[in-house]
Amino acid sequence: MNLIRPVSDLRNNFAEISKTVHETAQPVFLTKNGYGNMVVLSMDAFQNMQFESDVYHKLLEAEREAEHTDKRYSSRDVLAAMKEVIGG
């Protein structure tokens, strides 16, 4: 369930909002004059969201590439390439 609060709460109840976003890893939506204004999110939650978005876009790119080529890689090929990049 979305937590929606007036933007003035950011000034008046900063510690409470900070505690909420860190404990729940969920965003707090702030409104101004009854309309959405901004979102507050912990750094960890933001980084996780950004990572998931990056992974999603890379998978989408791979799917598009797979539609245009017949070249396929086995799991053994992928693992060998990963080891080579990592240096192991």
Side-chain angles (χ1 to χ4, degrees):
M1 182 170 176
N2 290 339
L3 183 56
I4 302 171
R5 300 180 69 158
V7 75
S8 60
D9 277 3
L10 191 57
R11 178 176 15 97
N12 300 330
N13 301 306
F14 179 83
E16 180 185 336
I17 290 174
S18 178
K19 182 179 177 186
T20 298
V21 297
H22 285 91
E23 288 179 351
T24 66
Q26 296 297 311
V28 172
F29 296 87
L30 301 175
T31 62
K32 183 176 181 180
N33 299 323
Y35 295 97
N37 185 264
M38 65 179 83
V39 178
V40 177
L41 192 62
S42 72
M43 288 296 294
D44 287 339
F46 176 77
Q47 288 171 340
N48 288 337
M49 186 176 67
Q50 196 169 29
F51 173 77
E52 289 172 3
S53 177
D54 290 345
V55 169
Y56 171 79
H57 287 292
K58 287 178 183 179
L59 288 172
L60 187 60
E61 182 181 329
E63 285 180 2
R64 287 182 181 150
E65 184 178 329
E67 291 173 357
H68 297 356
T69 182
D70 292 331
K71 188 165 185 167
R72 300 293 183 259
Y73 300 94
S74 71
S75 58
R76 183 170 287 144
D77 294 337
V78 172
L79 184 59
M82 288 172 50
K83 286 182 177 180
E84 185 176 317
V85 169
I86 295 171

